[in-house]
Amino acid sequence: MTTLSVVIPMFNETAVIPALVARLRPVLDALGVDYEVVAVDDGSRDDTVSVLFDHGRDWPQLRVLRLRRNSGHQAALTAGLHRAIGRWVVSLDADLQDPPETIAEMLRVAREDGVDVVYGVRADRSTDTVFKRNTARGYYWLMRRIVGGDLPAQAGDFRLLSRDVIEVLRRLPERAPVYRLLVPSLGFPSAEVRYDRAARAAGETKYPLRRMVALAWESTANFSAAPLRLATWLGMSSFLLCLALIVFGMVAHVSGTTIPGWTSMFVAVLLLSGVQLVCLGLLGEYVGRIYATVQNRPAFHVGFDSLDEMPATETVAKFDDDSRTPNFGPAVSAHG
């Protein structure tokens, strides 16, 4: 078995790949172990795949796994983790904000301490914006209360997992896993390696505000029924308020006080309708998840894996919607 696999989800990362290869390859070569690098292209619309195969000519350990369409960061990460063959598997983003040099320390800690998980914890995030730091702090604060205190603060998707953890993850029925919460919840022995988070080496961030909000919602809905309980409490509060309004109306009627009917009816209808819509929306979110689970559709579709097959020129062109897709014929002679 290969000792180490490094899984790197990528989406439109043409600009950063040369810098990534220049830093990652010397680190892995210096480890003195058999390794593979699984670059998972998440349906990129630029020249990401072409650049990867160009580097693969001189780097046989580089393995290209391409998804047929853009499925999202966590789905691409899932594809890489499920197909990695290493005894130890490291997940790493392509933007070089998490330093590849930390991989050697992670592997050493895992071996010496006998743990199955080593988290990369961001000790310094000064390169991030104030907004990003504050939202990240709020996210981890909320998630620690949902998942529990075992969730490392400021630990993203940069981590090392043993083969035992990988096999457990492969057997889980999670359709849309959030690994930064799922892995700690398994309870495997773990350790931490701290590092300073750097600025993005090149290209643009793939996690704008809308994706961060979506991640927070996925994290909450996957690990907690709190939104459903919120709907229950809103319904109870509305019911109690209605009882109070009924008592108030009866008292006003007995005392002969005149109450404008239109205003009271208008406020009551708006209040009850608003609460009902909120509750129905929350229930609908969970019913939708049940529906998606019952359908059991795969979260991603692998177009090709350079470890298993040699993609023909016309096959690769079919996967790419961009007419700039180059001829891969001479570029696939070396593969992981």
Side-chain angles (χ1 to χ4, degrees):
M1 181 182 292
T2 301
T3 302
L4 179 67
S5 295
V6 180
V7 176
I8 310 176
M10 296 184 177
F11 178 66
N12 293 344
E13 295 289 6
T14 299
V16 80
I17 290 175
L20 173 66
V21 173
R23 286 184 59 181
L24 179 61
R25 186 175 184 180
V27 170
L28 298 180
D29 288 342
L31 293 177
V33 299
D34 295 332
Y35 70 86
E36 65 168 355
V37 176
V38 185
V40 185
D41 176 65
D42 188 20
S44 296
R45 294 186 291 269
D46 62 0
D47 296 327
T48 295
V49 174
S50 175
V51 175
L52 286 173
F53 275 112
D54 286 341
H55 285 283
R57 294 174 180 174
D58 302 321
W59 194 10
Q61 291 87 356
L62 179 59
R63 173 183 169 190
V64 181
L65 179 67
R66 186 172 196 192
L67 307 187
R68 291 182 181 272
R69 62 177 179 83
N70 179 247
S71 302
H73 180 270
Q74 295 297 294
L77 182 56
T78 300
L81 294 178
H82 284 197
R83 291 217 168 194
I85 61 175
R87 173 68 182 85
W88 302 95
V89 181
V90 173
S91 55
L92 175 70
D93 288 340
D95 55 17
L96 291 176
Q97 289 190 280
D98 304 325
E101 293 79 9
T102 309
I103 294 176
E105 178 69 8
M106 286 180 163
L107 187 59
R108 182 192 65 80
V109 170
R111 286 173 162 175
E112 293 183 358
D113 295 354
V115 297
D116 291 289
V117 182
V118 179
Y119 299 103
V121 176
R122 302 153 182 169
D124 182 6
R125 301 191 61 159
S126 57
T127 56
D128 291 335
T129 63
V130 175
F131 175 77
K132 184 67 175 291
R133 291 198 300 269
N134 289 331
T135 53
R137 188 179 299 110
Y139 171 83
Y140 286 106
W141 177 86
L142 177 62
M143 292 305 112
R144 287 173 72 89
R145 278 149 184 77
I146 291 176
V147 181
D150 293 334
L151 175 66
Q154 302 299 329
D157 286 317
F158 184 32
R159 69 180 70 84
L160 180 143
L161 305 174
S162 71
R163 174 52 48 181
D164 291 340
V165 179
I166 295 296
E167 292 305 318
V168 170
L169 292 176
R170 293 183 61 177
R171 293 195 297 268
L172 290 177
E174 295 274 349
R175 181 180 179 277
V178 180
Y179 287 104
R180 64 185 66 193
L181 305 184
L182 181 59
V183 172
S185 71
L186 298 178
F188 281 91
S190 63
E192 297 180 358
V193 171
R194 304 180 70 83
Y195 65 93
D196 294 339
R197 185 170 171 83
R200 192 177 228 281
E204 298 180 354
T205 178
K206 304 307 183 295
Y207 255 85
L209 178 60
R210 61 180 181 84
R211 288 186 177 269
M212 290 190 290
V213 172
L215 176 64
W217 169 247
E218 288 288 336
S219 302
T220 303
N222 282 4
F223 284 86
S224 174
L228 287 177
R229 297 192 183 99
L230 176 62
T232 302
W233 284 108
L234 285 174
M236 290 293 296
S237 300
S238 175
F239 176 72
L240 293 175
L241 181 59
C242 287
L243 290 179
L245 290 175
I246 291 173
V247 172
F248 174 77
M250 294 178 63
V251 171
H253 177 73
V254 171
S255 63
T257 303
T258 301
I259 301 176
W262 181 87
T263 303
S264 60
M265 181 64 69
F266 182 72
V267 172
V269 169
L270 285 182
L271 175 64
L272 296 177
S273 299
V275 171
Q276 288 173 353
L277 289 175
V278 170
C279 296
L280 286 175
L282 292 172
L283 291 172
E285 286 285 342
Y286 282 85
V287 171
R289 291 170 182 275
I290 295 172
Y291 175 67
T293 301
V294 171
Q295 284 182 315
N296 198 28
R297 293 176 180 172
F300 57 87
H301 297 273
V302 175
F304 64 80
D305 185 342
S306 62
L307 180 68
D308 301 330
E309 55 184 319
M310 305 289 283
T313 304
E314 61 272 13
T315 302
V316 176
K318 181 177 66 175
F319 294 147
D320 204 320
D321 295 330
D322 196 332
S323 59
R324 296 174 299 167
T325 302
N327 187 325
F328 288 101
V332 297
S333 58
H335 59 282

